[in-house]
Amino acid sequence: MLPVTTILFYIFSAILLGSATLVVTARNPVYATLYLVLAFFNAAALFILLGAEFLGLILILVYVGAVMVLFLFVVMMLDINLARLKEGFLSYLPLGLAIAILGVLELAAVFWTSPLGHISAPAAIPANADNTRALGVLLYTQYLYPFEIAAVILLVAIVAAIALTLRRRTGTKTQNIGAQMAVRAKDRVHLVDLREPKS
């Protein structure tokens, strides 16, 4: 009989693979984003099962709680024309197949050359282990430059998302800060005396 953790691992892995496949094959970009949220949840569950609770919680809080909400709003605000995207699908098919075959060959080379079947089981995690501290020490010492580069890439992505959504549309109301600062009180405020006139 398999232990409960192994059964949960296979269940979460199957849901993760299914949701990742639906992210790629979904026709509606909003549905693809929601399937990606489901994939992140299951990946977080796998991290927690493997003893990396910090990574699992960060995956839920940061990616699901912030990044995916941002992606969803950006996808909904871009007003994507699905019919236009599907027009030239067949013209991209040869390039897509070539990239897919290349990826499969690379994965096969990795599995063929690495001793994946001879990896011993991981050692038991001690009770006083602090994976958050170990991750922080590695992240801010050995991997500091890749961490900073990832932060710059995320900043560029945020700027690009804002630039894509700030399109000029006809009929939109905008503020003219210069005109607002140049306003005088006597031009905008008209005092009316509501008291009864004296006889």
Side-chain angles (χ1 to χ4, degrees):
M1 176 115 182
L2 291 175
V4 178
T5 55
T6 305
I7 296 172
L8 289 176
F9 176 82
Y10 284 120
I11 291 174
F12 290 142
S13 300
I15 298 174
L16 175 60
L17 291 175
S19 57
T21 304
L22 290 172
V23 169
V24 180
T25 58
R27 296 173 181 262
N28 192 327
V30 178
Y31 289 167
T33 307
L34 294 176
Y35 287 133
L36 192 55
V37 170
L38 179 61
F40 280 149
F41 268 113
N42 286 277
L46 290 176
F47 275 130
I48 293 172
L49 280 178
L50 294 174
E53 298 88 2
F54 178 75
L55 287 178
L57 294 176
I58 286 298
L59 190 63
I60 292 176
L61 292 176
V62 175
Y63 281 91
V64 177
V67 177
M68 288 313 304
V69 172
L70 175 65
F71 284 175
L72 187 58
F73 277 108
V74 168
V75 166
M76 294 173 70
M77 285 190 295
L78 282 179
D79 193 19
I80 299 174
N81 190 354
L82 297 177
R84 185 177 176 185
L85 290 176
K86 295 175 186 176
E87 287 177 356
F89 177 75
L90 291 178
S91 62
Y92 298 112
L93 188 59
L95 178 61
L97 287 176
I99 293 174
I101 291 171
L102 180 63
V104 170
L105 290 177
E106 288 176 350
L107 287 176
V110 169
F111 282 115
W112 184 266
T113 56
S114 62
L116 292 178
H118 305 288
I119 297 176
S120 58
I125 301 174
N128 59 351
D130 190 356
N131 55 17
T132 307
R133 180 185 296 274
L135 182 65
V137 169
L138 278 177
L139 192 62
Y140 292 106
T141 55
Q142 184 176 352
Y143 297 103
L144 179 61
Y145 288 123
F147 179 73
E148 295 294 333
I149 291 171
V152 172
I153 292 172
L154 286 175
L155 178 62
V156 172
I158 292 172
V159 172
I162 294 172
L164 285 173
T165 54
L166 285 179
R167 294 176 294 178
R168 294 292 180 185
R169 298 184 178 92
T170 57
T172 56
K173 295 181 179 180
T174 57
Q175 287 182 316
N176 188 348
I177 305 299
Q180 289 177 347
M181 296 299 293
V183 163
R184 295 177 299 176
K186 63 179 183 179
D187 296 334
R188 291 296 179 95
V189 180
H190 181 63
L191 299 178
V192 177
D193 191 0
L194 298 178
R195 292 177 295 183
E196 296 182 359
K198 295 180 180 179
S199 57

